[in-house]
Amino acid sequence: MQDLFFYTAKIGWLLIRPDSLFLILLTLTLILIWMGRNRSARSMLTVMVVLAWTISLLPIGGWLSYPLDTRFPTNPPLPERLDGIIVLGGSINIPHSDAWKQVETNDFSDRLFYFISLARQYPQAKLVFTGGNASVSGKGSTEADTVAQLLKSRGLGPERLYLENRSRNTEENVLYSYDLVQPGSDENWLLITSAAHMPRSVGLFCKHDWPVIPFPVDHSSNPDRLFKINLDPVGHAYGLVWALREWAGLTAYYFSGRIGQWVPSGCNDSEATG
């Protein structure tokens, strides 16, 4: 079932992501022109141009990300004791790292920055980096293996560092990390991931009876710019794709029973398996 969900999610998102849909519509418009259906082609092209200008001018991705970014407080008060800190993969650019033989990060590198910082703040805490290879082919290095030397060079010794390298998605992050560290019911664990991704992640941890303290980073929205109009086709399009990807993930995980709420807010009766 894990494999079926993984491949279905990958293929499904490839088909419905906004940039793919735009390319499909553009192709259909060209086909209509070749078929002599000029009126239909003009109508479709008009819709596409209106959508393109709307996305280019308005931070729609920010509007969609903001409710997720603010689901959990930023810089939350931390307990005196932490038994473990876990950071989800997604910050390592595996193809670039393999090609250049060094760790290459992406737009979500804040996850690593805060992981290292908090690891030093809590020197007794176990440290879990969870991330395999999420490509459909599964070929190439894994995130955990790629980042291992970097983390160790920052003083995170092997005696407290746990590297989980099998997971391909967030649910597997939780399952394989749980098997790796076997957290106790009385332990305090801190979870680091992107703010918009935090609700889905917390929902999965709760579903598998592993309560965590959310520490969101890498915020996708800017509250000071939510209502500012500016021409930024690439930036706005990227933000929209990222936001819709997270909402699609929440929807898929909720309707498949993997999380107990559409937008989880913490561990309660509906989130836990009991």
Side-chain angles (χ1 to χ4, degrees), residues 49-61 63 225-237 240:
V49 170
V50 170
L51 286 175
W53 274 103
T54 301
I55 293 170
S56 298
L57 290 170
L58 300 176
I60 300 174
W63 300 346
R225 300 186 65 84
L226 286 178
F227 300 102
K228 290 186 177 181
I229 298 175
N230 68 302
L231 184 62
D232 185 6
V234 175
H236 287 167
L240 177 60

Side-chain angles (χ1 to χ4, degrees), residues 27-248:
T27 303
L28 289 176
T29 301
L30 182 59
I31 292 173
L32 288 173
I33 293 174
W34 285 345
M35 295 174 61
R37 305 280 297 275
N38 293 334
R39 183 174 180 180
S40 297
R42 284 196 300 269
S43 298
M44 188 171 292
L45 187 59
T46 300
V47 170
M48 292 173 62
V49 170
V50 170
L51 286 175
W53 274 103
T54 301
I55 293 170
S56 298
L57 290 170
L58 300 176
I60 300 174
W63 300 346
L64 293 173
S65 294
Y66 186 72
L68 302 179
D69 281 351
T70 56
R71 194 65 166 172
F72 297 96
T74 304
N75 300 317
L78 300 178
E80 193 172 312
R81 174 184 62 87
L82 277 181
D83 297 285
I85 302 171
I86 181 169
V87 61
L88 302 189
S91 57
I92 306 299
N93 188 322
I94 295 177
H96 281 211
S97 298
D98 285 346
W100 294 105
K101 309 304 177 186
Q102 65 181 28
V103 178
E104 300 266 350
T105 60
N106 54 32
D107 291 342
F108 308 116
S109 57
D110 284 2
R111 301 185 190 186
L112 282 178
F113 172 81
Y114 282 99
F115 182 57
I116 295 170
S117 176
L118 289 165
R120 291 171 176 168
Q121 185 176 338
Y122 292 93
Q124 303 305 317
K126 297 177 182 177
L127 307 173
V128 178
F129 182 98
T130 170
N133 187 322
S135 66
V136 174
S137 66
K139 296 180 179 179
S141 304
T142 68
E143 282 197 70
D145 294 337
T146 301
V147 81
Q149 193 57 46
L150 172 66
L151 296 177
K152 292 174 183 177
S153 70
R154 296 300 186 273
L156 309 187
E159 70 279 357
R160 59 192 294 235
L161 186 59
Y162 295 80
L163 300 171
E164 185 286 303
N165 62 5
R166 294 188 295 156
S167 55
R168 300 168 297 177
N169 57 27
T170 311
E171 184 177 31
E172 291 182 355
N173 287 149
V174 180
L175 291 171
Y176 297 149
S177 295
Y178 190 99
D179 290 342
L180 188 63
V181 297
Q182 294 293 312
S185 59
D186 60 339
E187 293 183 350
N188 287 328
W189 279 82
L190 185 78
L191 173 65
I192 302 172
T193 191
S194 300
H197 186 54
M198 188 62 79
R200 179 156 52 117
S201 303
V202 167
L204 285 163
F205 275 88
C206 292
K207 194 73 173 178
H208 292 283
D209 296 320
W210 189 356
V212 290
I213 301 168
F215 194 94
V217 299
D218 287 320
H219 294 77
S220 303
S221 60
N222 184 339
D224 295 332
R225 300 186 65 84
L226 286 178
F227 300 102
K228 290 186 177 181
I229 298 175
N230 68 302
L231 184 62
D232 185 6
V234 175
H236 287 167
Y238 178 81
L240 177 60
V241 170
W242 163 248
L244 287 177
R245 180 180 183 274
E246 197 51 51
W247 279 105

Side-chain angles (χ1 to χ4, degrees), residues 245-274:
R245 180 180 183 274
E246 197 51 51
W247 279 105
L250 283 165
T251 302
Y253 274 67
Y254 175 65
F255 283 102
S256 64
R258 286 168 165 79
I259 55 178
Q261 295 176 317
W262 186 28
V263 186
S265 57
C267 293
N268 52 42
D269 292 340
S270 65
E271 292 294 331
T273 59

